[in-house]
Each structure stands twice: as structure tokens, then as C-alpha cells.
Amino acid sequence: MSRVVHPIERESYRILRSRVDLSHLPPLTRAVTERVVHASADLDYVTDLVCDETALAGGRAALRAGAPVVTDVWMVAAGITRRDVVCPVADPAAAVLARETGLTRSAAAVRIAYERVGPGAVWVVGCAPTALVELIARDAAPALVVGLPVGFVGAAESKAALRASGLPAVSNVGEKGGSAVAAAALNALLYLEETS
């Protein structure tokens, strides 16, 4: 099913491209960068995002093959279109596991989600650094990790750990991130052919 691109979105991309030339970037990196900048109106992401074209290609192939998409919170899930997501953060079992283990609910939800989806999923973390840390600690064998949690406590460190882990990933350097940009990064892989 083809997505209808609204004229406002087309105009936003025109303005973005008039302000910064990203044509030198590989196609998937360019798509992710443009969509994140479009979603945030923050040109700093042009130099702040850390993308790996091979990892993005693997993630896109996994998505096209029907890999499950897991999010850390429902705010991220709400921004992902055209795909169902797994997000057990509100599951009562996540609250119980968090109490029993001392994990945050988001980190507990990562454990529960992995039990449901197994290896090969695409993980999208836009809120909770603890979820990203827990995912890195698992032997989850993800197809791709979109690691863009936001915050002053642990966000930059969790993203640095993601980059050091060797997992196929998209991240950024620093504290900013969030649900909208994490969802935008994933949507870029779904919409690539519609925004060029």
C-alpha cells in the first residue's frame, strides 16, 4: 500500500533540502537523516546522527521480510506507521519483573519483548536509556537497533555503549533524541522510495 505524502510534508522536505545538501550521503543514511531532521526541525542531527549504511540496509531488508518491530514505550510505537509493534511496557508482567529485579519497567519490558520475538527483530528505543542498556546486555541478535533515547541521565552513555557493542544500529552523539526522532528513523526505512 502506497503512502500518500501530504503537501506540507513535501514543502518541509523542500525547505530542509534548501538549507542543507545531504546528496553526498548514501541513500539510506540520507533518508534517515532527512526524516529525523524533518520530524525535529533540528539541523544539528545532520552531524549528530551516527548511521551505518550496511546496518540500515540489513534493517530495511528485515522490515521488508516481516521482522517484528519492538519499541521501548508507546510514544515511540504511536509514531511508527504501517507496522504493528511489540511494546510490553504497560504489561502487568513488566511491572512485576521490574519490582522483582530492580530494573526499570522499560528494561523489564525488553526482557519480556525478547521472549516474545526472539532474534532478528528491529528494536526502536526513543525514551528509556535503561531499555537500551538492557537490550545491549541481552544476546538479542537484532536486525537493527534504532537507539535514540533522550535525557540527561544515561542517554549519551547508553548510545555510546550501543555504538561500542558492534550491534547494527542508528544512534546519535549526546543527550538529545526522543520518541519522535526514533520513530522517524524507522519510518525512513519504510518510506525511502516515497521521499526521494
Side-chain angles (χ1 to χ4, degrees):
M1 175 172 96
S2 181
R3 187 175 74 89
V4 176
V5 178
H6 193 279
I8 291 172
E9 182 178 340
R10 287 193 195 283
E11 179 62 5
S12 179
Y13 271 85
R14 187 198 65 74
I15 292 168
L16 183 161
R17 290 171 180 158
S18 75
R19 293 186 183 179
V20 62
D21 180 10
L22 300 176
S23 63
H24 64 284
L25 295 176
L28 296 175
T29 298
R30 178 181 179 192
V32 168
T33 303
E34 285 186 337
R35 188 150 291 276
V36 166
V37 170
H38 162 74
S40 64
D42 186 346
L43 289 170
D44 287 344
Y45 278 110
V46 169
T47 56
D48 188 59
L49 279 176
V50 179
C51 297
D52 175 271
E53 193 73 4
T54 302
L56 293 173
R60 186 164 187 241
L63 289 168
R64 288 184 161 193
V69 175
V70 182
T71 66
D72 62 329
V73 295
W74 280 107
M75 289 289 290
V76 175
I80 296 171
T81 56
R82 295 173 54 184
R83 288 302 294 265
D84 291 330
V85 301
V86 174
C87 183
V89 72
D91 189 315
V96 171
L97 182 59
R99 273 194 309 276
E100 291 174 350
T101 61
L103 293 169
T104 65
R105 187 178 286 204
S106 295
V110 166
R111 290 187 183 182
I112 292 168
Y114 180 69
E115 290 173 8
R116 293 181 186 169
V117 302
V122 175
W123 294 76
V124 188
V125 178
C127 183
T130 57
L132 189 53
V133 169
E134 183 65 24
L135 177 60
I136 295 165
R138 304 269 112 216
D139 187 19
L144 180 68
V145 179
V146 176
L148 293 166
V150 63
F152 295 118
V153 179
E157 295 83 358
S158 68
K159 290 178 275 193
L162 175 62
R163 290 189 301 278
S165 74
L167 293 174
V170 175
S171 69
N172 71 306
V173 179
E175 298 162 334
K176 69 181 168 181
S179 299
V181 297
L186 182 74
N187 285 337
L189 299 177
L190 298 170
Y191 300 162
L192 177 64
E193 60 279 354
E194 298 170 20
T195 58
S196 30

